[in-house]
């Protein structure tokens, strides 16, 4: 299987930010080599072909191992995933459990749980995939996942030191340039395009390198282990050159923000933004895209 890729020429630039969240600091200079990128995140249809040809079973489709969750209620140790659910009205934004629910049966096949189907949103980014699911897909297509520095360099589209992938305003002239949460979070979506969750890939303008959805839509897995600041980064996991195997407690860096990022709550729809995601923690707003360094 092949997909046309976009060459992002290497170079030297600054990444990180000292104007928003502590984990984005410090601003530093990096040099990145040439990397070919998928122009958009992997879609449901593309992931379905992978599963059909390989028989791959994703993390949310496997019951959690009780040994990894001592003391947990056995009734909760069933296949499933975290699904965003709008609240009935305004809530305190310090408690994320009010808008996230553990949904048995939720997976890439059924993004909102039983009764939903990926086929209804075949051109949307695949979600409910763990890190190992993303790396398995990447290996199948003969590609890889990006490292954090590569991802941020590419997301900036050739701009240096700007807050967003297109400049310093979220909506210059009122333009909607990415799938982020519009309206009072988390209880009322006012998205002008009707995308209350994910959107079809490529629905918004590409950045300066021709890459779509680097900001918003879904968070994207990288090959970089999570650290609380940018000052000291750890080696990549075993599949990327480190001798240490992956553990249930390991966290990887995800980038780009998602359709849930909002000025009211999570201002992480920026190239410098980053979060740590457990390797087997799947949700309805985390996906991935692939790169090739050859």
């Amino acid at each position: 299987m092949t997909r046309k890729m976009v060459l992002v020429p290497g170079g030297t630039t600054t990444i990180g930010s000292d104007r928003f969240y502590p984990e984005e600091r410090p601003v530093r200079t990096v040099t990145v080599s040439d990397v070919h990128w998928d122009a958009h995140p992997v879609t449901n249809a593309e992931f379905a072909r992978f599963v059909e040809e390989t028989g791959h079973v994703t993390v949310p489709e496997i019951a959690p191992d009780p040994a990894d969750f001592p003391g947990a209620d056995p009734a909760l140790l069933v296949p499933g995933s975290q699904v965003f659910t709008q609240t009935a009205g305004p809530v305190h934004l310090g408690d994320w459990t009010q808008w996230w629910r553990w949904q048995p049966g939720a997976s890439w096949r059924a993004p909102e749980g039983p009764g939903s189907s990926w086929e209804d949103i075949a051109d949307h980014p695949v979600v409910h995939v763990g890190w190992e699911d993303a790396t398995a897909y990447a290996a199948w297509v003969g590609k890889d996942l990006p490292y954090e520095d590569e991802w941020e360099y590419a997301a900036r589209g050739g701009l240096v030191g700007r807050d967003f992938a297109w400049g310093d305003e979220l909506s210059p002239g009122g333009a909607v340039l990415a799938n982020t949460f519009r309206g009072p979070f988390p209880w009322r979506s006012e998205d002008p395009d009707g995308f209350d969750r994910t959107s079809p890939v490529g629905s918004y303008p590409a950045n300066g390198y021709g890459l779509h959805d680097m900001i918003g839509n879904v968070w994207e897995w990288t090959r970089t282990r999570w650290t609380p600041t940018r000052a000291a980064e750890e080696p990549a996991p075993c599949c990327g050159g480190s001798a240490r195997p992956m553990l249930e407690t390991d966290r990887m860096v995800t980038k780009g923000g998602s359709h849930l990022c909002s000025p009211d709550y999570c201002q992480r729809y920026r190239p410098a933004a980053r979060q740590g995601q457990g390797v087997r923690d799947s949700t309805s707003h985390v996906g991935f895209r692939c790169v090739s360094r050859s």
Side-chain angles (χ1 to χ4, degrees), residues 114-174:
S116 63
S117 173
W118 70 267
E119 294 178 309
D120 296 330
I121 49 173
D123 58 350
H124 288 224
V126 65
V127 292
H128 299 300
V129 286
W131 187 85
E132 291 148 311
D133 301 322
T135 55
Y137 176 95
W140 178 66
V141 293
K143 301 177 185 178
D144 201 353
L145 297 185
Y147 290 98
E148 181 177 9
D149 290 358
E150 294 173 332
W151 195 101
E152 186 168 332
Y153 176 93
R156 292 183 176 277
L159 301 179
V160 179
R162 299 299 186 90
D163 287 342
F164 303 102
W166 47 81
D168 288 325
E169 295 181 58
L170 176 60
S171 301

